[in-house]
C-alpha cells in the first residue's frame, strides 16, 4: 500500500439525508488517504435523475465539512480528472458503451419489465438464482427492427462469460470468489441512455485513477460485475475493502427505530463533530490498545485497514452518548451554549433575542450543567431549576428531608444571612453555608441537603453555592417561602 500514490474517493448519491453509514465510509477513506499522504476525491453520483437534488448534495458536503472531512478534488474544488458529477460525464460513458458494443462485449436488450419479471419468477420457482438468460444476445436484425417498430427502447447489457471464477483480494475479507454463472448478463445503460451505477462507477474510478475503494458490505455483490467491466475495458481494478454493516442494538439493520440515522439529526441535537467522528471510527475498526478517545490527528496516525473487522458493527447509542459526554465536558461553555440555544428557545425558556447580560448568565448556567449532559439538546432536561417559579419535589424522600427537626433553624439562618449579603456570588454563598454549619454545629449534609431541596426540589445536583448565586437572592427567598408552604 505504501508503494503507490493512494487515491480514494467518496461518491454519494444525493437522494436524501446523509446516512451515518455513508459518513463512516467517507471517514475510513479519508483516514487511509491522510495516513499515506494520498488524495481524497469527492464525486457526486447523480444519475438517479428523479431522486437526486442539489439540496441533498449540499447537505452531504456540509455534513462532511462539519465532521472535518475535506477533499482534494471534487465538484466545488476542481481537479485534473473532472468533471466530478456523473451527469456531466455522459459523453464519456457513451464512448465506452460504443466500444463494448463494437467489440461484442455488450448488446441491446429489448425485453420488457413484464418479460423480465416472468423470467425471474420462473427461475425462483426452480430454485435457481434469478439472472438474465441472454434472450436478446443473438437477436437478428429483423427481430431488432420488429422490436423498434413496436416502440421498445432497448437497454444495453454487458455479456458475462460463462463458467468463470471472478476472484479478488479484499482488504477486509481477504480472498473473495464469485461464479460468473450466478451473475448473468446485466444492464449497464438504461433505456433512457443513462448508465447504471455499476457501469459508471467503473469508468469514473478508472479514469480518476482511484487505487483503493472502501465501501459498505452491501456493495460486495456489485464487485464481480465491476471487475468483469474493468477487464473488458482494459482497466486495472482498484483494491477493494468492504466494511461491515451497521446494525442497531437489536442486531437488525440500522433504521429510524434505532434512533437518528442521518448526520444532520445528530448535528441538530447538539452533538460535537469530534464526538461523532470518534464514535464512527470505532464502528468496525479497533485501535491497537485500550484507548478509545481520539482526535482526528490521532485517528490518522492509528488507522489501519488491518484492524477493520468483518463482523457487523453495532450502533450503540449509549456508547455514543458516553463518548459524546466526555467531549461536552471538555468544550467551552460558550460553544455548548451556542448549541443549546435553539433547544432552549423551542422549550420556551428563552426568546429569540438575548441581551449580553442574559447571554452571560445563561453561559454560566450551561457551564454548571455540562457534566450532566451528553449532547446540547439534553440541557432542557436539567435547566428547569434555574427558571421555575414553583419547586416540585422529585419524590417523597426529598419532601421528607424538609421535615427534619433541624430544618427550621437552618432555613431561618440561611434566609437572614442571604438578605445580609452585599454581593450574592458563589464565593460569598459558599462562605455563608460554611458559617451556618459552624454556628448550628451541624454536619454539611444537615445544612446542604434541606437547602438544596427547598430551592430545587431535588436531592442531588450542581454545586449548591453556584446554583443559589445564579438563581439570585429574590427568587431564592421566594422559592423558600412557597416551598415551605407545601410542607
Amino acid at each position: 500500500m505504501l508503494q503507490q500514490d493512494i487515491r480514494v474517493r467518496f461518491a454519494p448519491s444525493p437522494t436524501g439525508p446523509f446516512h451515518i453509514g455513508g459518513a463512516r465510509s467517507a471517514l475510513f477513506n479519508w483516514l487511509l488517504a491522510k495516513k499515506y499522504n494520498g488524495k481524497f476525491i469527492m464525486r457526486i453520483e447523480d444519475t438517479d435523475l428523479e431522486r437526486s437534488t442539489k439540496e441533498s448534495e449540499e447537505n452531504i458536503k456540509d455534513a462532511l465539512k462539519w465532521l472535518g472531512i475535506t477533499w482534494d478534488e471534487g465538484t466545488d474544488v476542481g481537479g485534473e480528472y473532472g468533471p466530478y458529477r456523473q451527469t456531466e460525464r455522459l459523453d464519456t460513458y457513451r464512448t465506452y458503451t460504443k466500444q463494448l458494443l463494437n467489440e461484442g462485449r455488450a448488446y441491446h436488450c429489448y425485453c420488457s419489465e413484464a418479460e423480465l419479471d416472468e423470467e425471474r419468477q420462473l427461475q425462483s420457482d426452480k430454485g435457481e438464482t434469478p439472472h438474465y438468460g441472454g434472450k436478446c444476445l443473438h437477436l437478428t436484425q429483423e427481430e431488432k427492427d420488429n422490436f423498434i417498430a413496436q416502440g421498445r427502447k432497448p437497454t444495453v447489457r454487458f455479456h458475462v462469460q460463462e463458467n468463470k471464477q471472478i476472484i479478488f483480494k479484499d482488504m477486509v475479507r481477504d480472498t473473495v470468489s464469485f461464479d460468473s454463472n450466478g451473475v448473468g448478463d446485466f444492464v449497464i445503460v438504461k433505456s433512457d441512455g443513462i448508465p447504471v451505477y455499476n457501469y459508471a462507477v467503473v469508468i469514473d474510478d478508472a479514469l480518476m485513477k482511484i487505487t483503493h475503494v472502501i465501501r459498505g458490505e452491501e456493495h460486495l455483490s456489485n464487485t464481480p460485475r465491476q471487475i468483469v467491466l474493468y477487464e473488458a475495458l482494459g482497466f486495472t481494478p482498484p483494491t477493494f475493502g468492504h466494511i461491515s454493516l451497521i446494525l442497531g442494538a437489536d442486531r437488525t439493520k440500522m433504521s429510524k427505530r434505532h434512533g437518528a440515522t442521518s448526520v444532520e439529526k445528530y448535528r441538530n441535537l447538539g452533538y460535537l463533530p469530534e464526538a461523532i467522528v470518534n464514535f464512527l471510527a470505532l464502528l468496525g475498526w479497533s485501535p491497537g490498545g485500550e484507548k478509545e478517545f481520539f482526535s482526528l490527528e490521532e485517528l490518522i496516525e492509528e488507522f489501519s485497514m488491518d484492524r477493520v473487522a468483518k463482523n457487523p458493527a453495532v450502533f450503540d447509542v449509549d456508547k455514543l452518548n458516553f463518548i459524546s459526554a466526555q467531549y461536552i465536558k471538555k468544550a467551552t461553555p460558550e460553544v455548548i451554549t451556542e448549541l443549546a440555544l435553539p433547544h432552549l428557545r423551542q422549550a420556551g425558556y428563552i426568546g429569540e433575542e438575548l441581551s449580553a447580560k442574559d447571554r452571560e448568565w445563561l453561559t454560566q448556567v450551561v457551564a454548571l450543567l455540562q457534566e450532566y449532559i451528553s449532547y446540547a439538546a439534553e440541557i432542557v432536561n436539567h435547566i428547569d431549576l434555574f427558571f421555575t417559579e414553583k419547586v416540585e419535589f422529585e419524590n417523597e424522600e426529598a419532601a421528607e428531608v424538609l421535615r427534619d427537626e433541624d430544618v427550621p433553624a437552618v432555613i431561618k439562618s440561611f434566609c437572614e444571612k442571604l438578605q445580609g449579603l452585599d454581593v450574592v456570588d458563589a464565593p460569598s454563598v459558599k462562605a455563608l453555608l460554611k458559617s451556618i454549619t459552624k454556628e448550628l454545629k451541624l454536619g454539611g449534609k444537615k445544612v446542604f441537603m434541606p437547602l438544596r431541596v427547598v430551592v430545587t426540589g431535588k436531592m442531588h445536583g450542581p454545586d449548591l453555592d453556584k446554583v443559589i448565586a445564579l438563581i439570585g437572592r429574590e427568587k431564592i427567598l421566594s422559592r423558600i417561602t412557597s416551598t415551605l408552604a407545601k410542607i
Side-chain angles (χ1 to χ4, degrees), residues 145-204:
D145 291 341
N146 186 38
F147 283 131
I148 293 171
Q150 293 175 27
R152 295 199 187 193
K153 292 183 177 180
T155 60
V156 178
R157 285 186 182 273
F158 179 80
H159 178 47
V160 179
Q161 297 175 13
E162 297 178 348
N163 305 318
K164 181 180 178 183
Q165 288 298 304
I166 304 168
I167 302 170
F168 64 94
K169 192 91 165 177
D170 191 277
M171 288 184 282
V172 178
R173 297 161 198 286
D174 202 23
T175 301
V176 182
S177 177
F178 287 87
D179 185 343
S180 68
N181 294 336
V183 175
D185 294 355
F186 57 93
V187 174
I188 57 175
V189 181
K190 294 179 287 187
S191 58
D192 60 2
I194 301 297
V196 301
Y197 162 76
N198 278 320
Y199 183 46
V201 74
V202 166
I203 294 171
D204 291 343

Side-chain angles (χ1 to χ4, degrees), residues 100-117:
L100 292 174
L101 287 168
N102 291 338
E103 293 173 353
R105 301 303 304 270
Y107 58 93
H108 288 107
C109 173
Y110 295 86
C111 294
S112 67
E113 280 300 319
E115 291 167 340
L116 294 172
D117 287 342

Side-chain angles (χ1 to χ4, degrees), residues 397-443:
E397 186 182 357
E400 191 62 32
V401 168
L402 297 183
R403 298 188 179 101
D404 187 88
E405 62 180 2
D406 294 315
V407 168
V410 169
I411 291 179
K412 181 175 182 294
S413 177
F414 173 76
C415 290
E416 289 174 353
K417 291 180 183 296
L418 183 63
Q419 286 174 321
L421 286 180
D422 293 330
V423 177
V424 179
D425 57 15
S428 63
V429 173
K430 189 172 185 179
L432 180 157
L433 295 173
K434 189 174 182 181
S435 70
I436 294 175
T437 61
K438 280 188 175 182
E439 290 174 14
L440 299 181
K441 295 183 173 56
L442 295 172

